[in-house]
Amino acid sequence: MPTSEDSPATPTPPVRGLQRSEAQQRAALLRVQEYDVTLDLASSEETFGSLTRITLDSQAGETFLDLKPTAVRSIHLDGAPLDVDTLRAGRLPLSLTEGRHELVVDAVMPFRNDGEGLHRSVDPADGRHYVYGMSFMDAAPSIFACFDQPDLKAPYTFHVRAPEDWVVIGNAPGTNPEPGVWELERSQPLSTYFVTLVAGPYHLVRDEHDGIALGLSARQSIAADLERDADELFTMTKQCFDEFHRLFDIRYPFGDYHQAFVPEFNAGAMENPGCVTFRDPLVFTSKVTRAVRIQRATTVAHEMAHQWFGNITTPLWWDDLWLNESFAEYMGVRVTADVTEYDDAWVQNSFARRQWGLVADQRPSTHPVAGNGEEDALAALQNFDGISYAKGSSILKQLAARLGDDVFLAGVRDHLTRHRFGNATMHDLFDSWTRAGAGGFGRFSGDWLVTAGPDRIRLDRIAGELVRTPPAEHPADRSHALRLATAPAGGDWSETPVEVAGERTPVEVPTGQAVLIDPWEDTWAVCEPDELTLALLPGLVATTTDPMVRAGAWNSVRSGFHHAEVAPDAVVDLAEAWLPVETQDSGLTYTVPWLLRSAVPLAGDPAEAASRLHRVALSAAQAHEPGSTLQLGTVQAAVATAADPALLRGWLLGRDLPDGLEPDLELRWRIWVRLAVLGETDREELDAALAAEPTAVSRVEHTRAVASMPTVAAKEFALERFTGAVSVPNYELEAAGTGMWRESQRALLEPYVERYAHGLAAAAAAHSGWVQADVAEDFFPTCMVGDEAMALLAPLRTDERLPAPVRRRLVDAVDQLERRNAVAARFPALAARASLGGAG
């Protein structure tokens, strides 16, 4: 592994994705008619055979085929062999005459373990092998030869040979005519990035609704957990299908609807038509909070919305990815709240997603929701962020309210019908809304969709005005229709509608009352509390019955903290008053981790701040209904803030836990991780815990716990994974990074800031795809506040040895560290404290 004395890595050419200009040229030349793909998954555990037949029509000209093999057996164009040695950097040059052509590529492809391409994993619980396909963002050519861009759609027919005890599921229904042989029907036209295959000894559960065959699958070792969750998953799926059919008046057109929960998946889920893939921690093997169940429900609805937004009609290029993600985010939460048991989905969305989007929109890397200008397909992956999801969803919610559902949905139906199984742009959608009776999209899109950054709205209490400040780098003259919530000390909140236009808007605020700006999220803006409101909030949280107002209060405080306008100790004061009375465990699930990561470490006495939160969390856990998810959420907070090893070890054994709770696997690993942070366990005990229950959850949490220990050996363990010296699957890699950097271990970690800075170029070269950028972020020394760390880390933002996606993550990570430094400078109690204690 590298040390601070190692010389910098030799610069390597940056990884380059498909350029928009290249995609436009190829689309003008080609029309792909169909793909016929034969895969042999049974002959090796390292590679697989891939035979691709592509039928296409072409104008005369030069182009290229995308192919990323381990080896090439042969390539034929219209029966004539091509020189395979011309394959360079995943591209095979082609010279085509006008007319119909057939390309046949016989190649050997690699099984991968980074969550992309055809990912193969081994379940540590039983040794069974599982495979799934993730073709997104340039991974498809490592499965089959293709023309990999979203606007060259074609139908696919798959033929698969697999071990005889495996099942194979893909984008279209299939049959199993003989052991080990699977034939999948011809699919609807698909973009390459939608193509998937799920294969292995998966446990299947089947159902049917409204003529649509439904399926669920997961690893055999969690089959009982899938069976336990199946009724809820199928019920939500059926409810969502009925609502989407009602809203869009277009039936789901992709045959079966299978939801596959697969191991080591990078994203939350992927909307592959006919076979949606989800990360399999969404099959719950331990008790979870209601917030986590809502997250799963909105993810299910989000991916179902994609069957229309993205799968029926696909963006022409990645600058319009909001046509996929913003719509799916908005419709996913809306439909979950409207038709499933989780009618509080908007509250969960406020706690879970609002700050994600607002913070992303204030980064140096901010970009417009639509027309982001991205010219490189690989770099566009970094724009799948809080702007494209949370901000875009908020703006669509505004637009639906402004237009009314009749016009909003009529335009959507027109858009999906006109571009069925094709590609479209933002302007195509605007044309559809115009035909439906709407207007004024030039001003709307200019202010909200194609101009980056949020306005800041604050109360000038003395002047009796709301002050709107647009971002200096991205000015726009937006107006905001929102509501103020006002309340006297200890009283109830009142609601007042306000139209914010111009720089200053007069408002009437009763003397001495707290004011929350836009807690119901009617607009998109950074809304911060004034000093009086901040002082009154701890006393108001106990009487606040509207959960959106509580969520809005926290978003306001978090925005103030982000701008170093709210002191860490004021945040802790609010949290101490709020934690025992919060009735939505969405607040606990998403706010407590932020508190322990951001505010508590910067408090005047972090150990005392953590101790205060521990006391109220434990008290709340004992007061909540036994067995409730609120009780579970407060116990999780108590574990994360505990400083007493004896208490934690008693909980491991089931002693002294609040009535109704048992130390299941997930809770036990939370306790072991906390003991590791405190230095109250060792590698031998953690290894024994893993050996006793060698599940996928245990393997990941074991990695997190080992990396969390306050020893040099533990940090070297983490660093070996960072550098690629030890190769591990993606979830373990993330766990090693998040476990390594602990606030309470700053003295031990100081030398590792330099190790990270000097070793990042080599680490980036050791990883690929999504994981490459994730590693840079997951191992970033976020907790190391101070000028010395900043001097080492800030130059990485412009280090040309690093791939563009890595530099993009570094821009955001360094910005976050700069903001932590700003809080420390503004509230200098931090400077006087020791670098010990806190929540870890």
Side-chain angles (χ1 to χ4, degrees):
M1 74 193 72
T3 66
S4 58
E5 290 77 29
D6 291 333
S7 59
T10 301
T12 57
V15 177
R16 181 174 177 268
L18 179 71
Q19 303 299 294
R20 183 174 189 167
S21 58
E22 296 172 326
Q24 291 171 332
Q25 292 168 4
R26 193 159 62 173
L29 188 71
L30 303 179
R31 291 293 179 270
V32 183
Q33 297 300 319
E34 66 176 326
Y35 287 87
D36 187 283
V37 181
T38 301
L39 301 181
D40 181 1
L41 309 183
S43 57
S44 168
E45 295 181 0
E46 304 297 328
T47 60
F48 60 95
S50 174
L51 178 66
T52 309
R53 298 178 183 275
I54 309 173
T55 304
L56 60 101
D57 293 327
S58 177
Q59 303 296 317
E62 306 295 319
T63 189
F64 59 91
L65 178 75
D66 296 302
L67 180 64
K68 298 179 179 180
T70 297
V72 178
R73 296 187 179 113
S74 65
I75 303 176
H76 289 80
L77 174 62
D78 299 327
L82 299 182
D83 183 0
V84 300
D85 291 335
T86 62
L87 180 66
R88 293 285 186 277
R91 295 182 175 187
L92 181 83
L94 294 175
S95 181
L96 299 174
T97 58
E98 185 175 355
R100 175 67 55 91
H101 298 282
E102 183 184 63
L103 266 170
V104 181
V105 178
D106 189 358
V108 179
M109 301 293 200
F111 284 117
R112 297 171 64 172
N113 76 338
D114 59 0
E116 298 185 70
L118 213 53
H119 178 102
R120 186 170 188 140
S121 66
V122 180
D123 188 344
D126 57 21
R128 290 185 170 102
H129 289 235
Y130 294 90
V131 166
Y132 65 85
M134 179 59 163
S135 296
F136 190 73
M137 274 312 184
D138 101 325
S142 67
I143 304 175
F144 57 94
C146 58
F147 298 99
D148 189 21
Q149 59 190 71
D151 58 337
L152 287 178
K153 288 185 167 183
Y156 288 77
T157 304
F158 270 82
H159 320 270
V160 182
R161 189 169 79 87
E164 293 184 5
D165 63 335
W166 286 21
V167 294
V168 176
I169 300 163
N171 298 104
T175 60
N176 182 203
E178 61 182 87
V181 174
W182 295 81
E183 299 289 338
L184 306 187
E185 296 176 9
R186 192 173 192 256
S187 74
Q188 298 282 14
L190 307 176
S191 297
T192 47
Y193 76 91
F194 291 139
V195 178
T196 194
L197 201 71
V198 173
Y202 285 95
H203 177 73
L204 302 181
V205 185
R206 299 191 184 279
D207 203 342
E208 182 274 340
H209 179 67
D210 194 20
I212 302 169
L214 306 178
L216 305 170
S217 60
R219 291 175 288 123
Q220 290 288 344
S221 64
I222 57 174
D225 305 293
L226 180 66
E227 291 280 355
R228 186 169 54 249
D229 281 358
D231 182 64
E232 179 179 326
L233 288 165
F234 279 137
T235 297
M236 289 189 304
T237 301
K238 295 171 186 179
Q239 291 167 331
C240 291
F241 262 132
D242 289 345
E243 182 69 354
F244 283 127
H245 285 154
R246 184 188 73 82
L247 292 172
F248 302 144
D249 198 27
I250 299 170
R251 277 190 62 80
Y252 170 74
F254 296 105
D256 296 355
Y257 191 73
H258 190 85
Q259 296 172 97
F261 295 86
V262 298
E264 300 165 355
F265 198 69
N266 280 324
M270 179 64 198
E271 66 266 23
N272 317 300
C275 184
V276 177
T277 42
F278 296 82
R279 56 169 52 215
D280 69 7
L282 290 177
V283 176
F284 303 134
T285 58
S286 294
K287 188 174 182 178
V288 297
T289 62
R290 177 180 172 85
V292 175
R293 289 192 175 274
I294 297 174
Q295 179 191 22
R296 182 174 71 178
T298 56
T299 302
V300 167
H302 178 113
E303 303 311 320
M304 294 185 73
H306 270 311
Q307 306 308 310
W308 287 265
F309 292 104
N311 295 5
I312 289 179
T313 303
T314 308
L316 190 69
W317 182 249
W318 302 112
D319 62 332
D320 266 334
L321 65 89
W322 76 284
L323 293 173
N324 279 9
E325 299 306 341
S326 300
F327 270 95
E329 182 87 352
Y330 167 59
M331 297 306 302
V333 179
R334 170 177 166 167
V335 168
T336 300
D338 286 351
V339 303
T340 77
E341 65 179 288
Y342 300 114
D343 56 0
D344 50 344
W346 283 114
V347 177
Q348 190 266 2
N349 186 73
S350 181
F351 277 117
R353 309 289 264 187
R354 184 75 167 183
Q355 285 298 312
W356 179 45
L358 284 173
V359 168
D361 207 19
Q362 297 171 84
R363 298 289 195 209
S365 62
T366 187
H367 58 84
V369 172
N372 58 47
E374 195 59 73
E375 297 295 323
D376 184 293
L378 275 179
L381 178 61
Q382 304 310 306
N383 290 334
F384 283 77
D385 58 12
I387 297 169
S388 299
Y389 287 74
K391 180 181 181 180
S393 169
S394 177
I395 291 170
L396 287 173
K397 186 181 177 185
Q398 290 175 239
L399 182 61
R402 173 187 164 198
L403 298 181
D405 254 8
D406 288 346
V407 172
F408 181 80
L409 293 172
V412 167
R413 293 171 192 139
D414 180 79
H415 178 73
L416 296 174
T417 301
R418 287 177 180 271
H419 305 284
R420 185 178 177 86
F421 300 134
N423 300 81
T425 68
M426 170 180 70
H427 297 291
D428 293 325
L429 177 59
F430 286 176
D431 288 345
S432 289
W433 271 323
T434 300
R435 281 188 288 272
F441 283 108
R443 173 67 183 272
F444 176 83
S445 65
D447 286 349
W448 293 101
L449 290 172
V450 301
T451 302
D455 291 347
R456 291 176 70 183
I457 303 177
R458 288 174 288 177
L459 174 65
D460 182 338
R461 193 177 288 267
I462 295 175
E465 294 174 326
L466 293 179
V467 181
R468 182 188 70 88
T469 307
E473 301 83 358
H474 310 283
D477 187 19
R478 305 181 183 96
S479 62
H480 300 262
L482 53 83
R483 288 169 285 172
L484 299 183
T486 59
D492 296 327
W493 293 92
S494 300
E495 174 185 328
T496 305
V498 177
E499 182 78 23
V500 176
E503 181 182 350
R504 289 179 171 265
T505 301
V507 292
E508 291 186 13
V509 177
T511 302
Q513 294 202 10
V515 179
L516 291 175
I517 304 168
D518 192 35
W520 294 283
E521 299 179 3
D522 298 317
T523 192
W524 182 258
V526 174
C527 303
E528 302 164 47
D530 69 314
E531 289 186 9
L532 177 59
T533 298
L534 186 63
L536 292 175
L537 278 178
L540 284 168
V541 289
T543 60
T544 300
T545 57
D546 185 337
M548 279 298 294
V549 172
R550 286 198 302 274
W554 269 115
N555 280 315
S556 179
V557 169
R558 289 180 63 171
S559 288
F561 184 86
H562 186 71
H563 286 280
E565 298 290 344
V566 173
D569 287 299
V571 176
V572 175
D573 290 343
L574 175 60
E576 186 177 23
W578 158 83
L579 202 153
V581 299
E582 179 56 67
T583 61
Q584 299 279 320
D585 60 29
S586 294
L588 304 174
T589 299
Y590 296 103
T591 305
V592 170
W594 174 81
L595 285 166
L596 302 184
R597 182 177 65 248
S598 300
V600 168
L602 299 184
D605 186 338
E608 174 58 22
S611 178
R612 289 164 58 193
L613 296 185
H614 176 76
R615 286 194 296 269
V616 295
L618 191 54
S619 176
Q622 293 163 342
H624 285 312
E625 180 183 351
S628 67
T629 62
L630 268 174
Q631 182 190 58
L632 176 62
T634 48
V635 165
Q636 290 172 350
V639 170
T641 51
D644 182 356
L647 177 67
L648 291 167
R649 290 203 171 276
W651 287 352
L652 271 179
L653 299 173
R655 295 197 310 262
D656 303 322
L657 276 169
D659 291 343
L661 273 182
E662 296 292 336
D664 60 18
L665 182 65
E666 194 271 348
L667 185 56
R668 289 198 303 277
W669 274 110
R670 281 180 182 264
I671 295 169
W672 271 312
V673 169
R674 184 59 184 161
L675 286 168
V677 172
L678 296 172
E680 296 293 339
T681 186
D682 57 26
R683 182 66 181 272
E684 183 178 359
E685 181 181 20
L686 296 174
D687 289 351
L690 174 61
E693 294 180 277
T695 68
V697 170
S698 295
R699 186 170 63 183
V700 172
E701 295 308 314
H702 172 270
T703 295
R704 192 185 320 277
V706 172
S708 297
M709 293 190 296
T711 66
V712 170
K715 305 314 173 187
E716 296 296 334
F717 168 92
L719 210 65
E720 287 174 337
R721 283 141 183 81
F722 169 66
T723 63
V726 173
S727 178
V728 295
N730 44 0
Y731 286 11
E732 292 176 56
L733 197 58
E734 177 189 12
T738 55
M740 178 176 179
W741 297 97
R742 296 291 183 177
E743 295 279 354
S744 56
Q745 301 167 6
R746 286 168 50 88
L748 170 66
L749 288 166
E750 284 178 0
Y752 290 93
V753 179
E754 187 175 5
R755 298 277 292 278
Y756 173 89
H758 283 220
L760 183 57
H767 302 287
S768 62
W770 287 31
V771 168
Q772 187 181 65
D774 288 346
V775 164
E777 179 179 354
D778 293 337
F779 282 85
F780 187 85
T782 305
C783 66
M784 303 303 287
V785 174
D787 293 340
E788 291 183 10
M790 186 61 70
L792 288 165
L793 297 170
L796 296 174
R797 294 174 295 185
T798 55
D799 189 336
E800 293 297 329
R801 298 173 303 161
L802 301 174
V806 172
R807 294 200 303 274
R808 163 67 181 273
R809 297 289 184 94
L810 289 167
V811 165
D812 292 347
V814 171
D815 179 72
Q816 182 63 35
L817 190 56
E818 287 176 335
R819 290 181 181 274
R820 287 171 63 85
N821 282 339
V823 172
R826 176 76 183 276
F827 305 102
L830 170 70
R833 72 168 175 86
S835 298
L836 299 173

